[in-house]
Amino acid sequence: MTSLLPKHARVAIIGGGIHGCSVAYQFAKEGWTDIVLIERKKLTSGTTWHAAGLVGRLQGGHATTNFAKYGSDLFAELERETGQKTGYKRCGSISIATNEERLAELRRQADFALIHDVEAYEISVSEIVERWPLINPEGVLGGIYVPGNGYINPIDLTMALMKGARSNGAQIFEDTRVEEVLMHAGQVRGVRTDKGVVEAEFVVNCAGMWARELGRQNGAHIPLHACEHYYLVTDVIPDLPQDLPVLRSYDDSTYFKEDAGKLLFGFAHNRVKPWGMAGIPEDFSFDSLPFVEDDVMDVLEMALERVPILQETGIRTFFNGPESYSYDGNFILGEAPDLKGYYILAGVNSTGIQSGAGAGRALAQWIMQGFPQQDLNDMDPARIEEFQARDLYLQQRTPETQTRTYAMHWPNNQRATARNIRKTPFYNALKENRACFAEVQGWERPAWFAPEGVEPVIEYSFGRQNWFAYAQQEQKAARESVAMIDYSMLGKLLVEGRGAESFLQRLCTNDMAIETGRLVYTLMLNQRGGIESDMTVARFAQDRFMVMSSMSRTRRDYFRLRDHIQVDEDVRLRDVTSAYAILSVMGPKSRDLMEAASGIDMSNEVFPFNSWKEFHVGHAAVWAQRISFSGELGWEIFITPDFAEHVFEVLMDEGRAFGLRLIGGEALNALRIEKGYLHWGHDMSYTEAPHQVGCEFLCKTRKPVSFIGQQAYLERRDQKSGPYLCYIKLTDPDPMLYHNEPVLRDGKVAGFVTSAAYGYTVGSAVGLCLVSLPQSSTDKRDLETANYEVMVEGRAIAATLSLRPFFDPSNERMFL
């Protein structure tokens, strides 16, 4: 390796595992040759060296599948390019199911593969046995075969990436420890190592298990923790077929691959132990952990049953090594908030080998282009709350991430660990009313309410879960009488100062020169005309606004607003999310309830849509805005926490006369989807422009101040580029939609469902979907002229596609 550490580099990469070497390779391939990679010990010495090396083309999300596809294609060419053998073998993979629900999940995976043009199809038990003759097929119902999957040697792969990076000008330094990332005024300046300082414009933290501690030195929240992970390698098995596909037996928590005449089999454990509770030892290198048989005995017994030859075969290697897992199962990929030029790639949850090349490419592209080239919002470091990166939280939560690797990936699946951390003032009252709580960004929020005699616990299924009928009744109340939901988790950001209006005019697409007492719905765009956020803004005074956005996006919106405040602007920003509790009241009888509880006139003339007023409910001073996410007449009532329970009690008491019903997030989600209301991160993101999602009406291009991204938006609009957001519902009332189901137009994939639920009013599964235009068309009206189907568990279900919402497309009910 190069011995003399340079004084300057354009990019300094910390960590010489699969990710660091991939990032270096991508930069060098694109012509950025002033690249330095610094590894504290030897390349691959942390986690990479002991990875199982599985390579799959199909992952759980769009971005991760793109990563895996790119990596799989690159691996096939890398050996030819570099001359370094990688041990890559595209032998295919089989995933088996031993129960109907697992088979439904696998079929949905095969459906998802259609969107990304990945070959995957269902095979019978006899076909499974034919391709994997060592298997005990007892209890197996079927499986999914992916011909393009396989495995690779992780060390050889990393060395090939390193060789490719060096041949294109990157410098690699081993046995060099980064002691500090140097910052000045929030901007990266370089790294200080035990062998000198390297000035750099960008620093990339790919330090694996050490990434969290390294990030903390500069205030970067990297929510990962190492956990123990086991696998075994048998003695040589005579006549073992060398073309065996990788076998995943999810219900047995086990995977198997051929390994030079032996079988390697590993576990997705039912019980997982975090490791490195006091931090990762600095001298940890090519090390393993003690193998504790009791930790894997339950899974090992299942493996012996599934592959009986193991019962008569010796074990050559008993291995336990640490791997890093994130708190939510998503990568940490992108620029750290508050640290300009400080990028992170870490916490990839045992998918580093198959995702590493693609993730490294995505990060390198982000830095080179100045923005991500695909939707990576689920991985954005800005999503992370401070408490989610603390050891106490991570040591409880990250082991569950590992156990969920092969567990059922249920719709609306909830975590069991690190719960009851953030509670609204209504929590106890809602619990007394038999709420089943779901977690969102650490908040406990009712998902649905159980009737008397029913335990508020979810029984998961890919069909209608046990709460289905209750959520339908909650939807009915919102549509036919009156319903109420705890909305306290709504993000609330105060923008104050003499320059507040002009600041928001520049940031927001809508005209923010509204009167005091009014609200406006708006977007924020990036310089490329993509949607960075949607929000509601209320004006309290000439110099005071409140910006309200999704609970999962508050932190990200805060950073965006803050980072655009100019030095000479009199603008101050405060997060006041916890300063107000909110109850959202909705439905055709919501005005009756509000008037009974407040004693004031709530008519259209006095309290019009998109306005707010101060009044009293009982003894409490409140303010409320007339708006609703359900598509119904409604109000959102803001209460200080000390009076919150009192207001709740008053509304519940007054509500009995009008049939008031408490509802949860499941019902509200279905209501908003029926109505066609969008959710950022599902139905739109920073890759979509307003014209694609039907939000041109929010873009006021003639207001006195041009908004950020205005010219790019106009150019994209005039190009009439898709895909376009549409509304879709199944004609069959039985199947369920969740998201990511392929949408077929005349039998061919044209798009996918972005979010979905079962609509009470329409009487079927209904969703929003992004759909491309027919070939050679530039008119989105042509979308409605074809025949559509949606793939659901291997079946093409007839569907109706519309450019207008299926519920109240004329918006009459909001103005009752």
Side-chain angles (χ1 to χ4, degrees):
M1 300 297 172
T2 308
S3 59
L4 185 62
L5 199 67
K7 299 296 184 182
H8 179 273
R10 195 171 189 181
V11 182
I13 302 165
I14 305 168
I18 180 67
H19 295 112
C21 290
S22 175
V23 173
Y25 172 83
Q26 295 298 333
F27 275 127
K29 286 285 286 186
E30 292 297 325
W32 280 36
T33 57
D34 192 6
I35 306 298
V36 169
L37 184 148
I38 303 168
E39 163 56 40
R40 64 181 190 93
K41 296 293 184 182
K42 300 295 184 184
L43 297 183
T44 78
S45 62
T47 297
T48 299
W49 74 275
H50 64 73
L54 303 185
V55 175
R57 291 175 63 80
L58 182 63
Q59 300 294 301
H62 296 285
T64 51
T65 296
N66 288 336
F67 293 171
K69 283 186 63 181
Y70 169 78
S72 180
D73 292 339
L74 175 66
F75 300 160
E77 299 296 324
L78 197 59
E79 185 172 322
R80 179 192 57 79
E81 175 189 335
T82 65
Q84 168 71 48
K85 291 186 178 299
T86 63
Y88 181 47
K89 190 170 186 178
R90 188 173 282 183
C91 56
S93 74
I94 298 171
S95 299
I96 64 171
T98 63
N99 59 72
E100 292 291 347
E101 290 285 9
R102 179 69 75 180
L103 192 56
E105 179 185 14
L106 293 180
R107 286 168 174 162
R108 286 179 177 267
Q109 289 179 8
D111 292 344
F112 181 67
L114 293 172
I115 301 171
H116 291 274
D117 195 27
V118 172
E119 186 181 2
Y121 52 89
E122 185 174 351
I123 58 176
S124 66
V125 176
S126 61
E127 291 173 304
I128 293 170
V129 173
E130 181 181 354
R131 287 185 166 89
W132 226 91
L134 302 180
I135 193 173
N136 170 13
E138 184 178 355
V140 177
L141 302 183
I144 296 296
Y145 180 56
V146 184
N149 289 353
Y151 56 83
I152 200 167
N153 184 302
I155 294 177
D156 291 343
L157 167 62
T158 307
M159 294 304 176
L161 291 167
M162 178 273 295
K163 190 172 181 180
R166 290 187 69 200
S167 67
N168 285 286
Q171 299 182 72
I172 316 293
F173 295 87
E174 295 182 304
D175 299 311
T176 305
R177 182 167 60 89
V178 172
E179 297 174 335
E180 182 184 6
V181 176
L182 303 175
M183 307 289 301
H184 178 72
Q187 174 73 49
V188 158
R189 287 292 180 260
V191 295
R192 177 171 55 82
T193 79
D194 58 356
K195 295 181 180 177
V197 171
V198 180
E199 296 180 353
E201 300 172 41
F202 304 97
V203 169
V204 182
N205 182 345
C206 293
M209 294 184 290
W210 292 266
R212 184 181 80 253
E213 291 296 331
L214 181 64
R216 283 175 178 168
Q217 295 180 9
N218 300 100
H221 301 312
I222 305 178
L224 59 81
H225 202 287
C227 296
E228 298 184 12
H229 180 68
Y230 289 77
Y231 64 73
L232 291 83
V233 182
T234 70
D235 288 332
V236 172
I237 300 174
D239 302 320
L240 181 69
Q242 295 187 6
D243 59 349
L244 281 178
V246 173
L247 176 69
R248 292 178 176 88
S249 182
Y250 291 112
D251 300 319
D252 299 317
S253 302
T254 313
Y255 62 86
F256 304 83
K257 74 161 189 173
E258 188 271 338
D259 183 53
K262 305 177 289 293
L263 273 181
L264 181 152
F265 60 107
F267 313 115
H269 310 284
N270 299 318
R271 297 185 301 275
V272 174
K273 294 188 296 190
W275 180 76
M277 310 288 270
I280 309 300
E282 183 58 37
D283 61 353
F284 192 85
S285 176
F286 294 112
D287 289 330
S288 60
L289 306 178
F291 192 98
V292 181
E293 289 188 11
D294 288 346
D295 289 346
V296 296
M297 189 54 65
D298 59 333
V299 184
L300 179 57
E301 290 175 354
M302 290 190 288
L304 296 176
E305 289 293 325
R306 185 59 59 204
V307 182
I309 197 172
L310 298 177
Q311 299 174 22
E312 55 191 67
T313 303
I315 302 298
R316 176 170 298 188
T317 303
F318 293 84
F319 186 82
N320 177 15
E323 296 191 18
S324 294
Y325 295 85
S326 69
Y327 77 102
D328 62 356
N330 294 325
F331 296 10
I332 301 99
L333 191 162
E335 189 174 29
D338 295 322
L339 304 174
K340 193 68 177 173
Y342 190 124
Y343 286 79
I344 303 162
L345 173 52
V348 297
N349 310 300
S350 277
T351 64
I353 302 304
Q354 57 195 346
S355 301
R361 177 175 180 246
L363 186 67
Q365 289 177 333
W366 189 332
I367 293 173
M368 289 185 290
Q369 300 298 324
F371 56 90
Q373 302 298 291
Q374 57 184 304
D375 183 359
L376 303 174
N377 81 84
D378 286 345
M379 307 177 190
D380 193 341
R383 78 187 189 274
I384 300 156
E385 302 279 356
E386 184 273 338
F387 75 91
Q388 293 170 323
R390 296 185 66 244
D391 287 352
L392 178 63
Y393 182 85
L394 293 170
Q395 288 164 10
Q396 296 177 38
R397 178 55 68 91
T398 55
E400 187 179 4
T401 297
Q402 184 178 343
T403 64
R404 288 161 64 98
T405 305
Y406 277 16
M408 293 292 296
H409 297 87
W410 299 113
N412 316 311
N413 201 359
Q414 287 294 304
R415 295 295 186 106
T417 56
R419 294 294 297 269
N420 297 313
I421 294 174
R422 304 176 85 180
K423 301 177 184 178
T424 78
F426 305 116
Y427 176 84
N428 289 326
L430 297 170
K431 188 174 183 180
E432 289 176 1
N433 281 273
R434 298 173 302 284
C436 178
F437 288 95
E439 181 211 0
V440 182
Q441 202 69 1
W443 290 101
E444 295 293 331
R445 181 191 191 193
W448 51 277
F449 289 83
E452 290 282 0
V454 174
E455 188 177 3
V457 175
I458 301 173
E459 296 174 8
Y460 291 109
S461 169
F462 281 96
R464 300 183 180 189
Q465 296 182 4
N466 64 316
W467 48 263
F468 178 85
Y470 315 139
Q472 289 286 291
Q473 289 303 306
E474 292 173 18
Q475 290 184 56
K476 180 180 180 181
R479 292 285 187 236
E480 298 179 6
S481 54
V482 59
M484 184 166 69
I485 190 170
D486 180 3
Y487 221 51
S488 304
M489 298 74 64
L490 182 75
K492 313 168 195 75
L493 305 174
L494 276 181
V495 181
E496 301 170 296
R498 293 189 306 274
E501 180 184 305
S502 60
F503 169 72
L504 290 173
Q505 286 282 51
R506 190 174 77 252
L507 268 290
C508 300
T509 61
N510 214 328
D511 190 348
M512 309 308 293
I514 55 176
E515 297 178 0
T516 298
R518 299 295 296 180
L519 320 171
V520 64
Y521 178 52
T522 185
L523 308 175
M524 285 196 299
L525 305 187
N526 53 43
Q527 294 287 3
R528 303 169 304 284
I531 301 169
E532 288 287 341
S533 184
D534 69 323
M535 54 190 61
T536 300
V537 182
R539 188 165 201 163
F540 292 159
Q542 189 68 22
D543 61 352
R544 191 165 183 247
F545 295 79
M546 180 180 280
V547 174
M548 292 157 280
S549 59
S550 163
M551 67 195 80
S552 60
R553 207 173 61 247
T554 305
R555 184 172 172 84
R556 192 174 181 278
D557 287 347
Y558 177 89
F559 289 132
R560 181 165 184 82
L561 290 167
R562 184 204 60 188
D563 292 348
H564 279 82
I565 298 174
Q566 297 175 355
V567 175
D568 58 348
E569 279 187 305
D570 180 20
V571 175
R572 298 175 301 280
L573 180 65
R574 285 191 291 150
D575 185 346
V576 295
T577 298
S578 298
Y580 295 96
I582 304 177
L583 290 170
S584 178
V585 177
M586 68 203 81
K589 295 183 181 179
S590 58
R591 179 178 285 117
D592 299 331
L593 171 56
M594 293 293 290
E595 289 182 339
S598 67
I600 68 170
D601 187 352
M602 294 269 180
S603 64
N604 280 318
E605 294 73 23
V606 175
F607 204 148
F609 181 71
N610 269 351
S611 68
W612 67 267
K613 289 185 180 299
E614 296 177 311
F615 52 92
H616 282 77
V617 173
H619 301 285
V622 304
W623 67 273
Q625 54 191 25
R626 186 175 160 193
I627 197 169
S628 164
F629 199 41
S630 65
E632 297 289 340
L633 175 70
W635 282 264
E636 293 172 355
I637 309 166
F638 290 68
I639 317 144
T640 55
D642 52 336
F643 281 100
E645 283 196 72
H646 169 64
V647 172
F648 178 86
E649 291 164 357
V650 171
L651 290 169
M652 290 293 286
D653 288 343
E654 295 288 352
R656 290 190 183 95
F658 308 106
L660 175 65
R661 185 171 187 137
L662 294 172
I663 71 170
E666 295 292 354
L668 183 63
N669 189 51
L671 293 166
R672 72 97 182 166
I673 290 172
E674 271 193 333
K675 175 58 181 167
Y677 285 163
L678 280 59
H679 188 279
W680 193 94
H682 287 93
D683 311 308
M684 57 180 169
S685 186
Y686 48 67
T687 50
E688 284 77 45
H691 77 281
Q692 294 176 254
V693 297
C695 289
E696 291 180 73
F697 71 101
L698 298 176
C699 298
K700 310 301 184 186
T701 56
R702 296 183 180 179
K703 65 179 182 176
V705 179
S706 295
F707 54 83
I708 292 172
Q710 179 170 315
Q711 187 58 39
Y713 153 65
L714 292 172
E715 291 172 0
R716 291 178 67 172
R717 183 198 66 183
D718 292 345
Q719 291 169 359
K720 297 183 179 180
S721 57
Y724 288 95
L725 195 74
C726 302
Y727 312 99
I728 196 161
K729 68 181 182 72
L730 301 184
T731 56
D732 184 340
D734 291 330
M736 301 292 290
L737 295 179
Y738 297 106
H739 73 184
N740 282 344
E741 294 89 352
V743 175
L744 310 182
R745 180 173 56 236
D746 297 328
K748 297 182 178 180
V749 175
F752 62 92
V753 175
T754 58
S755 56
Y758 198 96
Y760 165 77
T761 308
V762 301
S764 69
V766 61
L768 294 94
C769 57
L770 278 170
V771 179
S772 62
L773 287 169
Q775 192 171 9
S776 76
S777 172
T778 58
D779 189 343
K780 69 177 182 179
R781 290 174 296 183
D782 291 341
L783 290 169
E784 293 184 309
T785 63
N787 296 314
Y788 287 90
E789 297 168 306
V790 180
M791 291 297 296
V792 182
E793 297 175 18
R795 296 171 54 220
I797 309 296
T800 301
L801 183 137
S802 173
L803 295 175
R804 303 182 75 200
F806 293 106
F807 177 79
D808 190 27
S810 300
N811 295 323
E812 296 175 1
R813 297 178 69 88
M814 295 284 288
F815 301 96
L816 288 174

